[in-house]
């Protein structure tokens, strides 16, 4: 093989590797964006809820107290009921609104 041919082969291999890496990283980012989420009640801090904080409030950022039972945040699916909530009857986030203890 000539030196010119070896350089072309090396360059082609490097480009293929770079393209494969870019495609893999791009697919990983897209997969993360589409991950399933669920509403988790009772875990938001005051003014940090995503929406639905009950009567007298409008929506996002309107919760009046920490861990308000009718205010929720989006969390990755399956993690809500493992998240601490000191006002919840179980001590964990809930998938439905509740009256704080």
């Amino acid at each position: 093989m000539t030196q010119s041919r070896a350089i072309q082969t090396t360059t082609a291999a490097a480009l293929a590797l770079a393209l494969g890496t870019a495609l893999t990283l791009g697919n990983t980012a897209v997969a993360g964006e589409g991950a399933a989420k669920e509403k988790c009640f009772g875990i938001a801090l005051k003014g940090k809820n995503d929406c639905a904080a009950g009567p007298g409030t409008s929506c996002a950022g309107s919760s009046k107290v920490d861990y308000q039972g009718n205010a929720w945040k989006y969390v990755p699916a399956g993690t809500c009921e493992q998240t601490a909530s000191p006002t919840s009857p179980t001590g964990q986030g809930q998938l439905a609104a509740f009256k704080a203890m």
Side-chain angles (χ1 to χ4, degrees):
M1 184 185 303
T2 66
Q3 186 177 10
S4 171
R5 185 80 170 152
I7 291 172
Q8 287 177 338
T9 302
T10 303
T11 302
L15 287 172
L17 179 62
L19 179 60
T21 300
L23 290 173
T24 300
L25 291 175
N27 286 340
T28 301
V30 170
E33 290 173 11
K37 301 267 187 188
E38 63 189 3
K39 293 178 183 179
C40 189
F41 290 84
I43 64 166
L45 297 178
K46 178 182 177 181
K48 302 292 183 182
N49 62 304
D50 284 331
C51 204
T57 63
S58 58
C59 203
S62 61
S63 59
K64 303 291 185 194
V65 296
D66 289 349
Y67 308 106
Q68 190 170 318
N70 62 348
W72 55 265
K73 287 196 69 69
Y74 276 122
V75 297
T79 64
C80 177
E81 294 175 310
Q82 285 88 43
T83 305
S85 174
T87 61
S88 165
T90 64
Q92 307 297 321
Q94 302 292 307
L95 299 175
F98 60 90
K99 287 193 182 245
M101 297 175 71

